[in-house]
Amino acid sequence: MKIEIRPYANDDWDAIARIHDAARLDELRDSAGVEAFLTLAQTAEQEGLFDGQLWVAEADGSVAAFVALDDDEVTWLYVDPQRYRQGIGRALLRHALAAAGPRVEVTVLDGNPAAEALYASEGFVVTETRTGALVGNEAFTATGHIMHRDTTTAPTSVTG
């Protein structure tokens, strides 16, 4: 499979809306609940989808995922559920990290162990856990793990 990452274009809207709407249901299922679901069309503007940099990943010629980075925070990362576990999300995350500063933040909803594992495998650690209003649909409560990846400090090594 060939993955190509490129900047978002207006023609990508239908594809990323479809991807978000399918994957967001998976994300909410074991966290805030699917009752909290709102479409990308309902949330993109108020949640700042276009505030920073936005890229899409094409796999075998069709849009399969997207990621947004704003002020060194990964604010959106969604993969088409039919394309889970194919390395597309990881490729997009690495692309965003290459464009970010040395300290990057992401919030992962509690109940989304696949996302938490992806970020942890790329060097993110949970630095705080908060419970409060669900961003984008404040009528619902959710718990989020704030994770950071900091490349400004070298890992300590034990020799001897």
Side-chain angles (χ1 to χ4, degrees), residues 69-74 99-106:
L69 179 73
D70 186 26
D71 291 330
D72 295 330
E73 179 182 4
V74 177
R103 183 168 167 81
V104 182
E105 179 177 307
V106 68

Side-chain angles (χ1 to χ4, degrees), residues 31 73 105-113 115-116 119 124-131 142-148:
S31 59
E73 179 182 4
E105 179 177 307
V106 68
T107 301
V108 176
L109 289 179
D110 186 50
N112 190 351
E116 193 171 341
Y119 290 109
F124 285 81
V125 294
V126 175
T127 55
E128 185 179 352
T129 297
R130 291 186 198 151
T131 299
T143 298
H145 302 294
I146 295 90
M147 301 179 78
H148 286 93

Side-chain angles (χ1 to χ4, degrees), residues 13 20-21 36-47 76 136:
W13 174 257
H20 169 274
D21 293 355
F37 173 76
L38 293 173
T39 67
L40 187 63
Q42 292 172 298
T43 60
E45 189 171 320
Q46 83 180 44
E47 286 191 50
W76 302 75

Side-chain angles (χ1 to χ4, degrees), residues 2-159:
K2 180 182 179 213
I3 300 171
E4 178 189 341
I5 298 171
R6 60 171 175 76
Y8 170 84
N10 289 337
D11 290 348
D12 296 323
W13 174 257
D14 289 342
I16 71 165
R18 177 187 51 77
I19 289 164
H20 169 274
D21 293 355
R24 181 71 169 164
L25 286 168
D26 287 343
E27 179 185 27
L28 291 171
R29 191 164 285 113
D30 293 321
S31 59
V34 295
E35 303 80 15
F37 173 76
L38 293 173
T39 67
L40 187 63
Q42 292 172 298
T43 60
E45 189 171 320
Q46 83 180 44
E47 286 191 50
L49 175 62
F50 300 105
D51 288 355
Q53 297 170 291
L54 178 60
W55 298 279
V56 298
E58 289 186 358
D60 299 327
S62 65
V63 175
F66 68 98
V67 65
L69 179 73
D70 186 26
D71 291 330
D72 295 330
E73 179 182 4
V74 177
T75 53
W76 302 75
L77 176 57
Y78 287 96
V79 177
D80 184 331
Q82 296 180 2
R83 305 294 247 168
Y84 286 171
R85 307 224 186 279
Q86 296 178 18
I88 299 166
R90 182 177 306 280
L92 266 175
L93 177 58
R94 287 179 176 172
H95 184 86
L97 292 174
R103 183 168 167 81
V104 182
E105 179 177 307
V106 68
T107 301
V108 176
L109 289 179
D110 186 50
N112 190 351
E116 193 171 341
L118 169 65
Y119 290 109
S121 73
E122 293 295 326
F124 285 81
V125 294
V126 175
T127 55
E128 185 179 352
T129 297
R130 291 186 198 151
T131 299
L134 177 66
V135 174
N137 192 349
E138 287 73 16
F140 291 83
T141 300
T143 298
H145 302 294
I146 295 90
M147 301 179 78
H148 286 93
R149 178 178 184 259
D150 192 342
T151 57
T152 60
T153 56
T156 57
S157 61
V158 176
T159 58

